[in-house]
Amino acid sequence: MDPSSVLLAIEEQKKWRDRFKRIQDRIRQLDRKKATLSKELDRVHKRMADCKYVLGDFKESTFTRTSAPPIIPGR
């Protein structure tokens, strides 16, 4: 093998290692973002469940109230 092809092979190897490292870093970054968004989604689901519970109680309380007699305007 001539020296120029060895140097070229070493440079290519370094280039591919660097690219692989960048891809791994990006995957780690996306995994962290996925974990963060998953936690946020869980919080939103819990909040929605709480709101549905409160709204359910509110609707039940409006159905159980007795109606007041209609107001007749004065003459």
Side-chain angles (χ1 to χ4, degrees):
M1 241 184 185
D2 64 343
S4 62
S5 62
V6 171
L7 289 176
L8 182 62
I10 290 172
E11 287 175 12
E12 284 292 316
Q13 195 176 38
K14 182 181 177 198
K15 181 177 80 170
W16 284 106
R17 272 194 213 125
D18 290 343
R19 183 168 188 236
F20 184 72
K21 185 176 182 277
R22 283 194 311 271
I23 290 170
Q24 285 181 323
D25 290 343
R26 181 66 176 149
I27 289 172
R28 275 191 231 104
Q29 180 185 21
L30 291 173
D31 285 342
R32 285 192 303 269
K33 188 171 186 175
K34 181 181 175 183
T36 301
L37 291 174
S38 179
K39 288 178 187 176
E40 187 175 340
L41 184 61
D42 289 343
R43 284 192 303 266
V44 169
H45 283 154
K46 184 181 181 301
R47 185 108 186 234
M48 285 175 57
D50 291 345
C51 289
K52 283 182 183 178
Y53 178 75
V54 169
L55 284 176
D57 286 349
F58 178 72
K59 286 180 182 178
E60 287 177 14
S61 67
T62 57
F63 288 136
T64 57
R65 281 192 286 180
T66 58
S67 302
I71 299 174
I72 303 172
R75 296 180 193 207

